[in-house]
Amino acid sequence: MIEVRPGAISANVASLVDRLAMPVMGVVKANGYGHGALVAARAMLDGGATWLGVVDIAEARALRDAGIRAPILAWLHAADADFGAAAEARIDVGVSSVRQLEAAARAGAIVHAKVDTGLGRNGVPFREWDAFVERAEELVADGLTVRGIFSHIAGSGAAFDGGQIERYRSALERASALGASVRHLGASAASLFLPASRFDLARIGIAAYGIHPEANAPGAPADGSDARALGLVPAMRMAATAHAGVVDVGFRDGLLPAIGAPVLVAGRVRRVATMAPDSLTLDEPCDGEAVLFGDPAAGEPSVDAWARAAGTIGYEVVTRMASRAPRSIA
Ligand SMILES: *Cc1c(COP(=O)(O)O)cnc(C)c1O
């Protein structure tokens, strides 16, 4: 059983708004990082997020269809993306090329222009920014609204390229005539740990779900204590039943192979010995509720511990949890 705790998401967002002292965009892409897009979106807004962020227009439209009225940004588009539908549903679109900019202008969509300041994961290449802005200036004169200018910094530690904030600032300066009112750069890690990356809006995903954004950094603890130190509470708990050391969940529930991961059964930590599509076995026979990951504050293993054993990061563990597994929303 997957237990999703929207109250934890709301509390995390509220504490991040407070800590960062700036507005937050709650990122609910990838089905709300596996927690359910709509559940996560409502919880983010309850916690004080003023924007929602998703990858594509289809995800944004699903939120609108469910009655979400808050501002939404969708930032990655297939060649045939329907910007007209976005405009109609009041969904802002991130644009990463002159072609997308022109298509959005034709469709009457409001845009956030994305500049690539070094991550190399879409965005207008920095060396093409000048030409892009020139074209945007013409379209703005014809009625286009450029609401935002943004870029993406993935981490704040070893992966961080110190030139990115500087390049972003110079891109902003070049684009000043566009009249954009929302400048946004950092995701969870940069917003938390690089104050210089804070502009008008922090795009927060993983931290809102209670997972430390840099839990895989060298030397980081894998017990969730770093997230707790930031005041973050895990929003997903995965538990099942153990009979004689066999637990009735497996790969088909979305679990990654995590041999050696801790599992809490009847107050004792056991280890995953083998895994199969529909079950896993523990290193000793035991019976009772088996908690694969949950709230370390309650003595339960953390998502990070499962991720560590699986050789990945917490983001992937929760995002993969299949909708096939029974879930409860607490
Ligand atoms: C996923 C994503 C985020 C959120 O990142 P976290 O590290 O989960 O906070 C922010 N911005 C963009 C563009 C993203 O793709």
Side-chain angles (χ1 to χ4, degrees):
M1 173 82 82
I2 298 168
E3 254 175 72
V4 174
R5 296 170 169 165
I9 297 174
S10 299
N12 291 334
V13 171
S15 110
L16 289 162
V17 167
D18 203 49
R19 177 181 287 263
L20 302 174
M22 68 190 292
V24 162
M25 170 187 285
V27 177
V28 298
K29 66 189 182 193
N31 195 28
Y33 289 37
H35 296 67
L38 187 57
V39 166
R42 291 197 174 120
M44 296 273 195
L45 296 172
D46 282 348
T50 46
W51 278 84
L52 294 172
V54 290
V55 169
D56 63 33
I57 293 168
E59 290 174 282
R61 288 178 73 184
L63 294 175
R64 281 280 179 265
D65 288 347
I68 299 284
R69 305 170 64 95
I72 303 178
L73 174 64
W75 52 68
L76 199 64
H77 313 290
D80 61 350
D82 190 349
F83 289 157
E88 202 171 307
R90 294 177 300 101
I91 295 160
D92 288 11
V93 295
V95 294
S96 290
S97 66
V98 168
R99 194 186 55 73
Q100 285 184 345
L101 178 74
E102 290 177 340
R106 273 195 305 278
I110 293 178
V111 307
H112 295 226
K114 182 170 186 189
V115 55
D116 181 359
T117 50
L119 198 63
R121 261 204 330 227
N122 84 31
V124 177
F126 190 66
R127 63 178 183 284
E128 293 168 22
W129 184 243
D130 207 65
F132 174 93
V133 171
E134 228 164 83
R135 182 69 183 119
E137 285 169 349
E138 292 169 4
L139 293 168
V140 165
D142 285 343
L144 169 71
T145 298
V146 179
R147 187 165 359 238
I149 307 280
F150 74 118
S151 186
H152 189 40
I153 294 181
S156 74
F160 173 64
D161 162 7
Q164 278 199 268
I165 295 175
E166 220 169 288
R167 282 193 288 279
Y168 180 66
R169 282 193 178 283
S170 84
L172 284 177
E173 203 169 306
R174 174 62 187 88
S176 60
L178 300 181
S181 57
V182 190
R183 304 161 300 163
H184 47 110
L185 178 57
S188 294
S191 298
L192 276 163
F193 307 124
L194 288 173
S197 73
R198 297 176 194 155
F199 288 84
D200 300 316
L201 188 62
R203 298 189 311 271
I204 301 290
I206 197 72
Y209 301 97
I211 299 171
H212 193 282
E214 298 194 324
N216 62 332
D223 59 2
S225 56
D226 49 356
R228 190 162 12 136
L230 291 172
L232 304 175
V233 187
M236 186 187 285
R237 181 177 187 268
M238 178 75 187
T241 307
H243 292 293
V246 179
V247 186
D248 58 349
V249 288
F251 302 132
R252 268 204 270 267
D253 299 286
L255 291 172
L256 292 161
I259 304 305
V263 175
L264 187 73
V265 184
R268 279 190 54 194
V269 174
R270 324 283 173 151
R271 300 273 163 189
V272 175
T274 65
M275 289 183 69
D278 294 304
S279 66
L280 58 84
T281 58
L282 300 171
D283 56 0
E284 36 185 342
C286 52
D287 296 276
E289 188 194 34
V291 184
L292 281 62
F293 48 84
D295 187 357
E300 298 170 346
S302 72
V303 162
D304 295 327
W306 194 276
R308 194 69 65 93
T312 183
I313 54 175
Y315 168 84
E316 201 186 347
V317 172
V318 291
T319 299
R320 284 179 44 103
M321 292 314 295
S323 39
R324 166 188 176 275
R327 53 175 66 212
S328 74
I329 312 290

